[in-house]
Amino acid sequence: MRGIVIFSFIFSFSILALSAEDFRFTQNEGMEYRIVSEVQESVWFDTELLGQSSILNRIGVKVVESDGDGALLDVSYGISEKSLDSGLYIYNSDEMRQFYRSHRGVYGPIPLDEYLPSVRNIPTFPEREIEPGESWSEMAEEIHDLKHFFSLDYRLHIPFRVFYTYAGKDEYEGRSVDVIHINYHFLQGLDLYSLPVSVIPEDGVDLPEYVSGDFKQVYLWDPEAGIPAAVEEEFQIVYKMLSGVRYTFKGSASGKVVEADQWKKEDVRNQIEEAVVEMEDVSVSISDDGVVLSLEDIHFKPDSAEFLPGEVEKLMQLKDILLQFPDHDLLITGHTARVGLSPDMGQGLSEDRAGAVASFLLSQEVRRDSQMVVQGMGSREPLGDNSTEEGRRKNRRVEITILDN
């Protein structure tokens, strides 16, 4: 339920010097940054624990146009969920949205059936300076997509009032930040009789009657950059059903804002090409997401994600290259040659093989688990002709993308 959550980061602090601040987003045209957050969530059916999950959100923000009041933003939402078997984050979805946000944090009009962004107008800053210890409140909104969990093709809009308190300044990762406490609660009924008949599921399906939510955040603001630095959040959402049972989603989220560095992908590609010039079946290219190292014809045991002898040596060489870019996350994508009629055949195998590469890099401390996402593509993106051995050799590959952060 809390799959895309406002970014968060757990920290401790002691308030430093106190001064009034004028809060507003810096949204200069061409500005880019990424919000990376981890969500730990448990789901309960009354008092029975149904399951627990760890979700990784990567939200990319780019300012397309800016004016005196606000800016038009391109925002990408990437969601991955941690596998209980491998402990790796497995790619789930990636969506792009465009919307307007004022410099004070208020969003422009967004279509009613659109559920992203799922949290809107947090934070909203007043049109005045704020003294330490001062509080204010503004309206905000959450949008819940009820289709996935409740089989109800409906986006529930939940308005509520948010209460803010500016606590003062602190130090975070070597820079001065402003500390803001954020709290809100909502209770929203669902008028099932007003819903379109087309979205109501068949008879016998239990439906939500109302939803309540409680949220506490500690929000760190970077006054020099004019964007957030980090936030800590604890949340609980309860859906009460018509039958009287309750589903509870509760947990915490931690994350931070990563500003895009000004690396030139062409220079990085050239640098890596020089490093792999003597390695067989390794090529380097540029994509929209970053710089891609393609391990063509990587050798596994038949129908397995277990490396054949010699492949670990190749990965050890790549390890040294990847360690040169420690601040850039990795997307590891597996591909298979097409066997049979469906391009989706081999999906599981391609994901397992990408996971094997990611597990090796994790074991060598090349990245933390939250810095890597694993994706399986099956045989949907061939480079060669699957009717020839040479083509199939090119298609059996694992790609490591050094991502634009």
Side-chain angles (χ1 to χ4, degrees):
M1 177 59 66
R2 200 70 177 162
I4 296 182
V5 67
I6 189 166
F7 40 98
S8 315
F9 187 72
I10 297 175
F11 55 91
S12 61
F13 62 88
S14 57
I15 302 304
L16 303 179
L18 305 179
S19 61
E21 292 289 337
D22 183 20
F23 295 99
R24 56 185 284 130
F25 283 93
T26 298
Q27 303 184 115
N28 299 324
E29 188 171 326
M31 182 178 179
E32 295 183 62
Y33 57 93
R34 188 173 297 279
I35 303 157
V36 181
S37 68
E38 288 185 90
V39 183
Q40 310 298 327
E41 182 178 71
S42 60
V43 182
W44 299 76
F45 176 75
D46 285 338
T47 59
E48 177 188 356
L49 178 63
L50 294 182
Q52 297 173 304
S53 62
S54 298
I55 301 166
L56 181 68
N57 296 319
R58 292 174 54 86
I59 304 175
V61 181
K62 181 177 181 178
V63 179
V64 180
E65 298 176 0
S66 184
D67 57 37
D69 297 320
L72 184 66
L73 308 177
D74 275 345
V75 182
S76 62
Y77 297 89
I79 305 175
S80 305
E81 187 164 353
K82 182 171 282 189
S83 164
L84 295 178
D85 295 327
S86 67
L88 299 169
Y89 280 105
I90 308 300
Y91 171 88
N92 181 283
S93 64
D94 199 351
E95 300 185 49
M96 178 71 72
R97 297 292 187 271
Q98 186 177 87
F99 52 86
Y100 186 89
R101 182 181 65 188
S102 78
H103 297 314
R104 298 291 178 177
V106 178
Y107 288 34
I110 298 174
L112 282 176
D113 62 349
E114 182 55 72
Y115 74 95
L116 291 175
S118 58
V119 180
R120 303 175 187 176
N121 305 333
I122 298 179
T124 295
F125 299 121
E127 295 277 354
R128 56 183 171 81
E129 288 190 342
I130 302 295
E131 297 279 353
E134 188 174 352
S135 299
W136 72 98
S137 68
E138 299 284 351
M139 293 301 296
E141 184 179 44
E142 284 203 6
I143 292 81
H144 292 184
D145 187 354
L146 304 183
K147 187 173 184 179
H148 174 69
F149 198 86
F150 297 112
S151 301
L152 188 62
D153 189 10
Y154 184 71
R155 264 58 65 193
L156 178 64
H157 289 245
I158 307 169
F160 49 85
R161 182 165 291 278
V162 184
F163 298 91
Y164 302 88
T165 299
Y166 174 35
K169 290 190 175 293
D170 186 31
E171 293 289 327
Y172 172 71
E173 294 190 345
R175 63 189 190 273
S176 177
V177 294
D178 296 299
V179 181
I180 302 171
H181 294 273
I182 302 175
N183 295 276
Y184 62 93
H185 168 83
F186 57 72
L187 177 63
Q188 174 86 4
L190 184 60
D191 184 3
L192 297 173
Y193 297 102
S194 66
L195 298 181
V197 176
S198 60
V199 308
I200 301 293
E202 61 188 31
D203 291 342
V205 175
D206 200 8
L207 296 174
E209 182 179 13
Y210 69 78
V211 58
S212 63
D214 290 281
F215 301 82
K216 294 181 179 180
Q217 301 173 7
V218 181
Y219 191 95
L220 297 188
W221 177 260
D222 186 335
E224 182 175 353
I227 58 176
V231 181
E232 172 187 336
E233 179 182 65
E234 294 181 355
F235 63 89
Q236 177 170 292
I237 300 171
V238 179
Y239 270 89
K240 192 257 186 182
M241 310 299 286
L242 288 174
S243 65
V245 303
R246 285 173 168 80
Y247 289 97
T248 302
F249 306 81
K250 59 183 177 181
S252 62
S254 62
K256 62 188 297 185
V257 170
V258 181
E259 293 187 71
D261 58 22
Q262 300 303 312
W263 76 331
K264 293 184 178 179
K265 289 190 283 190
E266 293 79 5
D267 292 344
V268 174
R269 177 197 58 194
N270 295 340
Q271 177 184 340
I272 296 176
E273 282 181 336
E274 291 181 7
V276 302
V277 66
E278 296 184 1
M279 296 179 63
E280 293 185 6
D281 299 319
V282 177
S283 61
V284 188
S285 61
I286 291 175
S287 72
D288 291 339
D289 295 324
V291 178
V292 183
L293 287 80
S294 181
L295 286 67
E296 298 172 5
D297 199 28
I298 187 167
H299 296 113
F300 295 89
K301 291 184 178 180
D303 300 320
S304 160
E306 184 178 346
F307 296 118
L308 286 177
E311 295 306 293
V312 172
E313 182 180 345
K314 182 187 296 183
L315 291 173
M316 287 297 290
Q317 291 177 272
L318 293 176
K319 163 192 168 181
D320 295 334
I321 294 171
L322 296 173
L323 285 172
Q324 298 176 39
F325 310 96
D327 296 330
H328 289 259
D329 296 349
L330 303 178
L331 171 64
I332 303 175
T333 308
H335 301 264
T336 59
R338 184 168 179 175
V339 179
L341 299 177
S342 171
D344 292 325
M345 293 185 68
Q347 167 66 33
L349 182 60
S350 65
E351 187 175 289
D352 290 343
R353 289 179 169 178
V357 173
S359 293
F360 172 82
L361 298 176
L362 186 64
S363 72
Q364 297 296 310
E365 299 183 347
V366 175
R367 295 291 191 278
R368 301 185 304 276
D369 59 353
S370 61
Q371 291 181 292
M372 294 188 293
V373 171
V374 170
Q375 181 180 30
M377 295 301 296
S379 59
R380 293 191 295 274
E381 295 185 354
L383 293 179
D385 186 349
N386 275 299
S387 66
T388 69
E389 179 55 37
E390 176 63 21
R392 290 192 293 272
R393 188 181 69 82
K394 286 183 174 292
N395 294 336
R396 290 189 295 266
R397 67 193 191 279
V398 173
E399 295 173 338
I400 302 174
T401 303
I402 306 173
L403 293 169
D404 263 333
N405 279 348

